[in-house]
Structure formats: C-alpha cells, structure tokens
Amino acid sequence: MQLVLDDAELHAPIVLHSPAMDDDEYYAFCQRHPNFRIERTARGEIVIMPPTGLETAYRDSDLNHQLFAWAKRDKRGVAFDSNAEYIVPSGAALSPDASWVSKSQLDPFSKKERQKFLPLCPDFVVELTSPSDRLKQVKAKMREWMENGVQLGWLLDADRKTAYIYRLSREPEELVSPKELKGEGPVAGFVLRLKDIWAGL
C-alpha cells in the first residue's frame, strides 16, 4: 500500500492508494480504525483526516446542537453530526460536519442497515472549516455534495466569518459576517445563529 500526503503540511489529510474495497469492506476497514476520521473518494482512495483542535470542536458542537434541537422539534427528518457517513451515488463515502436527512429517505432502510453507512445523499449538509482545511478543497467537497443530490449546503469559513450558500443549479452565494443563516427547501424553518460560531473560544 502506497502512502501519499495530500498536502505539504504536517497536519494535512493523508491519502491511501489501496486495492478497491466494496462498501462492506470499506465499512469494516473504518471499524478497524475507530480513532480516525476516514472518507473514500469516488476513485476509491482512502482519505484520513487530521483531528481538529478544541476551537473547531467547540464550533462544531454549537452547530450540531442548534440543528439537532430544531430537527427534534420539526420532526420531518433527523440531524446527524460528523460521525455520520454517506455512500453517495458517485461511490464516494463522505462525512459532513452536520447533516439532515428527511424521514422519507430513511424509511426504506432497516434498523440493521442504519447501523452502517447508508447509500444515500443527505438533503442538507454543513461543512465547517478547521485550521488544517484548504478552502479550495472544502469548496470542491461542497460541489461534490451538490452533484450527488444535496438540496442545500452551507460552508462556514469560521475564521473569516464567511458563509457560502450552495443551492441546486446555482452558483454559491457568499455572505460576509452574517448574524444568522435561514434554512430553506428541506430545512425551511431552521435558523442557525452564528455569533458563538464566529467568536470561537
């Protein structure tokens, strides 16, 4: 197995060029390495992401708390944190920092199937940049989400207090220092308040 660094920085993602794994083999591989955050590209490459620092974890917790609390009240779907991983139509296996899936998408899957990575694309995703992220790469991931069926996506560049709104068949909208983001489409009614996310620790 060849080990290739995806970036020159020490804290950058590591890409493993390994023999092709089917979905079950990939899930088993992830279970054997529970201390790592792992994704798979559409080309079958295994990407191991570096851990985030406390500030990013704080921002991510705030984001997920708000989405989870709203989803529990709204009841149309289910919110997930960054531990959720989805096998999207391209074959990539991706984990957003936060996501929401309608109950109608989840209904066809059995309880046993839901214990693994589901072959579906979430309706709504949020990606939150961390110090190890390159904005260009996160934007590319957002495009991949949209190409695979996400209806609404938010990219939060927290240190720059900038939000990018991704909608189907439209160029992303850039917002500088917004106080909040209002959900639309699948998550109409959700409001993400950004004061503490922008402030960080």
Side-chain angles (χ1 to χ4, degrees), residues 130-149:
S130 63
S132 65
D133 290 327
R134 293 299 182 92
L135 185 59
K136 181 179 179 181
Q137 293 171 334
V138 185
K139 285 182 174 180
K141 185 177 180 182
M142 289 300 301
R143 289 194 298 273
E144 187 172 14
W145 278 122
M146 302 308 294
E147 290 167 359
N148 278 280

Side-chain angles (χ1 to χ4, degrees), residues 41-55:
T41 70
R43 297 181 297 277
E45 299 161 327
I46 303 301
V47 182
I48 301 174
M49 270 75 67
T52 65
L54 285 182
E55 183 167 64

Side-chain angles (χ1 to χ4, degrees), residues 87-103:
I87 299 173
V88 297
S90 69
L94 303 175
S95 293
D97 290 303
S99 57
W100 182 93
V101 180
S102 63
K103 289 183 177 177

Side-chain angles (χ1 to χ4, degrees), residues 13-128:
I14 295 173
V15 179
L16 303 178
H17 299 275
S18 63
M21 290 186 274
D22 64 26
D23 293 344
D24 288 333
E25 291 169 335
Y26 172 69
Y27 179 79
F29 173 82
C30 292
Q31 297 307 297
R32 289 196 299 272
H33 304 283
N35 295 325
F36 294 97
R37 184 175 177 186
I38 302 170
E39 292 184 333
R40 182 182 67 191
T41 70
R43 297 181 297 277
E45 299 161 327
I46 303 301
V47 182
I48 301 174
M49 270 75 67
T52 65
L54 285 182
E55 183 167 64
T56 301
Y58 169 81
R59 288 167 163 163
D60 193 51
S61 294
D62 187 284
L63 160 65
N64 278 284
H65 172 75
Q66 292 189 59
L67 180 60
F68 183 80
W70 172 80
K72 291 285 281 186
R73 294 192 305 270
D74 182 75
K75 302 185 187 305
R76 289 178 295 154
V78 182
F80 299 95
D81 66 12
S82 60
N83 289 303
E85 188 151 333
Y86 304 94
I87 299 173
V88 297
S90 69
L94 303 175
S95 293
D97 290 303
S99 57
W100 182 93
V101 180
S102 63
K103 289 183 177 177
S104 62
Q105 279 217 82
L106 292 173
D107 284 345
F109 296 99
S110 68
K111 184 175 181 64
K112 185 176 181 180
E113 289 172 319
R114 296 181 194 191
Q115 294 172 350
K116 295 186 176 183
F117 305 149
L118 287 182
L120 63 79
C121 193
D123 302 88
F124 170 66
V125 299
V126 186
E127 295 286 358
L128 175 67

